[in-house]
Amino acid sequence: MRGMGNMQGMMKQMQKMQKEMAKAQAELEASEFTGTAGGEMVTIKIDGKRQVLDVVIKEEVVDPEDVEMLQDLVLAATNDALKQLEETTSQKMGKFTQGMNIPGL
């Protein structure tokens, strides 16, 4: 019966890890990330679910003759916010998958 005790212990550890992962995921989803571009001329705020919460464009960057530059700044600020989210996700969730070879994680 010794093997059963080890199996129960392993199951308890897995359940604890699942709870910790769910808590970390909830914390990530509740977090906000701010990306900027053009010396903060454009600011994008997203949440941990990758939903855009706010877009701020400073008036002086709006040039009807150069809409392409504004589009590039919005894109760069959005990518900056997403990069911060990905880095934070890797830090928080990476500890759960360290040493495991799980496809998709």
Side-chain angles (χ1 to χ4, degrees), residues 8-23:
Q8 286 178 336
M10 189 184 316
M11 291 300 288
K12 283 183 181 181
Q13 280 185 310
M14 290 294 289
Q15 288 173 340
K16 181 181 177 191
M17 188 171 83
Q18 282 179 320
K19 285 180 184 177
E20 289 173 2
M21 283 177 67
K23 181 181 175 192

Side-chain angles (χ1 to χ4, degrees), residues 42-103:
V42 175
T43 303
I44 304 286
K45 186 182 291 184
I46 65 170
D47 66 15
K49 296 178 186 176
R50 292 171 176 76
Q51 299 292 313
V52 176
L53 303 174
D54 194 24
V55 177
V56 177
I57 300 171
K58 292 197 175 172
E59 192 175 307
E60 53 267 29
V61 78
V62 179
D63 179 357
E65 301 296 318
D66 194 2
V67 173
E68 193 172 292
M69 180 191 65
L70 181 56
Q71 291 170 336
D72 289 344
L73 290 172
V74 171
L75 185 63
T78 302
N79 286 332
D80 184 39
L82 288 169
K83 180 181 173 196
Q84 291 177 42
L85 169 60
E86 291 302 321
E87 288 172 354
T88 302
T89 299
S90 290
Q91 289 172 358
K92 284 191 177 231
M93 301 306 285
K95 65 184 172 188
F96 297 110
T97 58
Q98 265 180 342
M100 295 180 177
N101 189 12
I102 303 172

